[in-house]
Amino acid sequence: GRAYHAMARFHCSTSFITDIFNVFILIAGGLFLYAGRISFGDYSTFIVSVNLFINPVNTLIMFMEQFQNGVSGFKRFVEIMEEEPEKDAPNAQELTDVKGTIEFKDVNYAYDDSKEVLHNINLRLEKGRKLALVGPSGGGKTTLCNLIPRFYDVSKGRITLDGEDVKHFTLKSLRGSIGIVQQDV
């Protein structure tokens, strides 16, 4: 965040200075040309020389921005590659013959220790019934849905599917039995 802020300030300030420099050269050169102190050839040569000097500076600035993006992307790539793969619980079973009754029992979930999103949720979703979750952004609606296929694991409490804790099923069979349409493509 700080690096991008610094790059934005640097890019804006150098662009501003470059533009002011070009305007100053055009005005000063025009005045010298009008006064007869320089010829049109001298004026043209000077403008071309200034642009030849400014272009490498702009190229260097663009390179530094691309380099920063590359370093940030590589750091994120390394974080993802070092992430522990998801594992099934010991003695996890295949989910078969799904009826579809889902129950949340005293479910709590926090993304980290400081921000609890869900607190003591008790909810029973009967087979074949429809449920609409309505609330403000950040209220936990998507998180609640992501807990069922175990994209996240509950911090406290348990979620059952047809009376069996979802942690007792293999992730592949659990997720293969659930259809999800995400709000973000």
Side-chain angles (χ1 to χ4, degrees):
R2 285 184 310 176
Y4 284 115
H5 183 68
M7 285 296 281
R9 285 176 45 192
F10 179 71
H11 186 67
C12 290
S13 61
T14 53
S15 295
F16 179 75
I17 289 169
T18 302
D19 291 345
I20 291 294
F21 191 59
N22 277 330
V23 168
F24 175 74
I25 289 190
L26 288 172
I27 291 172
L31 291 174
F32 282 125
L33 187 62
Y34 181 74
R37 299 181 87 184
I38 60 173
S39 69
F40 185 75
D42 293 337
Y43 182 56
S44 300
T45 305
F46 189 70
I47 288 176
V48 169
S49 299
V50 167
N51 283 325
L52 287 174
F53 172 74
I54 289 174
N55 282 340
V57 172
N58 286 334
T59 302
L60 181 63
I61 291 167
M62 296 290 238
F63 168 76
M64 290 306 294
E65 189 173 350
Q66 286 180 338
F67 179 76
Q68 183 65 38
N69 288 339
V71 168
S72 299
F74 184 72
K75 284 180 183 175
R76 182 67 184 131
F77 170 76
V78 169
E79 284 176 14
I80 290 170
M81 294 307 291
E82 290 178 347
E83 190 74 30
E84 280 290 321
E86 294 179 311
K87 292 181 183 171
D88 290 324
N91 303 321
Q93 301 169 5
E94 293 288 317
L95 176 59
T96 56
D97 194 30
V98 180
K99 305 283 188 290
T101 299
I102 301 170
E103 191 169 1
F104 288 74
K105 297 178 181 178
D106 298 320
V107 170
N108 290 353
Y109 180 75
Y111 286 108
D112 54 44
D113 294 333
S114 63
K115 186 177 180 186
E116 190 172 62
V117 179
L118 303 173
H119 182 71
N120 286 343
I121 301 295
N122 288 292
L123 177 65
R124 183 173 172 85
L125 307 169
E126 294 293 337
K127 169 184 135 179
R129 300 288 306 265
K130 293 179 183 169
L131 172 73
L133 298 173
V134 180
S137 179
K141 302 179 300 291
T142 303
T143 301
L144 195 69
C145 294
N146 285 334
L147 288 171
I148 299 168
R150 292 190 55 212
F151 293 140
Y152 309 132
D153 280 324
V154 297
S155 303
K156 184 180 162 195
R158 62 189 218 136
I159 300 172
T160 63
L161 178 59
D162 295 333
E164 188 71 35
D165 195 319
V166 291
K167 291 182 180 179
H168 297 162
F169 302 119
T170 62
L171 290 169
K172 183 177 180 181
S173 66
L174 177 65
R175 292 174 182 171
S177 300
I178 298 172
I180 298 175
V181 179
Q182 294 283 6
Q183 60 186 357
D184 297 320
V185 181

